[in-house]
Amino acid sequence: MAGMPPVDISKLQLVQELEIEMMSDMYNRMTAACHKKCIPPKYKDAELGKGESVCLDRCIAKYLDIHERIGKKLTQLSVQDEDLMKRMQTEQQQQPRT
Amino acid sequence: MSYNKLSELCFKDCIWDFTSRTVKAQEDRCALNCMEKYLKMNQRISQRFQEFQIIANENAMAAAQKSGAIPR
């Protein structure tokens, strides 16, 4: 990473902290969601059943997959929005001149 | 931290009978099983999550190397 431009370390730290916070929030939500979907509220046994384990594995894989897809779509939309805004701004600036 | 959440969850799932103020043996068993199961579930989830993270990291590194951001 020698070729990297000098970055504000405090800013980088802030971004990292935010990322970690978001990750742990996502993790907690995922745990709650998969618990709700995979573990029936009958606790006759303290062990995870085979079906429950498989369900959890799939639930996590799917949750993370959806998380990624939605993130991609959101960034895509925000990029589109930004482009649109820029175009509108330049158009507005050009209008009074013509 | 998750102690409170665990109490809430297992209480909600196990305690339905409010005709008596003492905890029944059945309710006690249910709540303890609920706790143990939840902890095991957490273990499994964190393991799978870590696996996913490692793979995602590797993919990101490979993509970065491919695009030439990191030499070698």
Side-chain angles (χ1 to χ4, degrees):
Chain A
M1 295 274 184
M4 285 263 283
V7 207
D8 200 338
I9 290 182
S10 64
K11 228 178 207 170
L12 200 75
Q13 236 166 16
L14 197 76
V15 168
Q16 263 173 354
E17 268 169 35
L18 257 170
E19 190 123 308
I20 288 168
E21 202 180 306
M22 260 171 54
M23 269 295 197
S24 81
D25 183 51
M26 188 272 273
Y27 182 85
N28 288 333
R29 285 170 194 271
M30 179 177 74
T31 305
C34 289
H35 178 264
K36 200 172 165 191
K37 285 187 189 284
C38 289
I39 314 288
K42 283 173 189 157
Y43 297 100
K44 285 183 185 159
D45 198 1
E47 295 297 316
L48 277 178
K50 190 147 194 185
E52 290 170 341
S53 307
V54 172
C55 177
L56 280 176
D57 289 357
R58 289 181 184 153
C59 178
I60 289 149
K62 267 193 161 167
Y63 195 100
L64 293 171
D65 196 8
I66 291 293
H67 185 73
E68 221 175 81
R69 278 166 203 251
I70 287 178
K72 267 185 197 153
K73 190 81 193 169
L74 272 175
T75 43
Q76 187 196 326
L77 283 178
S78 74
V79 165
Q80 263 176 19
D81 253 24
E82 240 166 69
D83 282 356
L84 197 72
M85 289 291 264
K86 264 183 202 160
R87 223 173 301 148
M88 268 163 59
Q89 263 179 3
T90 49
E91 270 171 30
Q92 265 178 357
Q93 279 169 357
Q94 279 166 356
Q95 259 173 4
R97 273 183 235 155
T98 51
Chain B
M1 26 141 228
S2 61
Y3 174 27
N4 289 346
K5 228 195 274 174
L6 197 57
S7 293
E8 185 194 358
L9 197 121
C10 293
F11 180 83
K12 275 185 175 169
D13 281 349
C14 287
I15 315 296
W16 292 103
D17 179 26
F18 294 99
T19 55
S20 146
R21 102 165 274 298
T22 50
V23 176
K24 283 194 207 154
Q26 183 198 346
E27 289 173 339
D28 181 51
R29 203 178 329 119
C30 176
L32 291 181
N33 282 344
C34 168
M35 178 215 76
E36 213 174 315
K37 206 174 207 175
Y38 192 84
L39 293 180
K40 279 168 187 160
M41 182 196 77
N42 245 332
Q43 246 173 22
R44 198 177 181 96
I45 289 179
S46 81
Q47 199 186 333
R48 292 288 173 271
F49 186 68
Q50 271 171 33
E51 285 165 11
F52 171 84
Q53 285 259 286
I54 289 166
I55 291 168
N57 254 334
E58 277 172 2
N59 284 344
M61 284 292 268
Q65 273 180 9
K66 220 176 184 180
S67 68
I70 305 168
R72 246 186 316 141

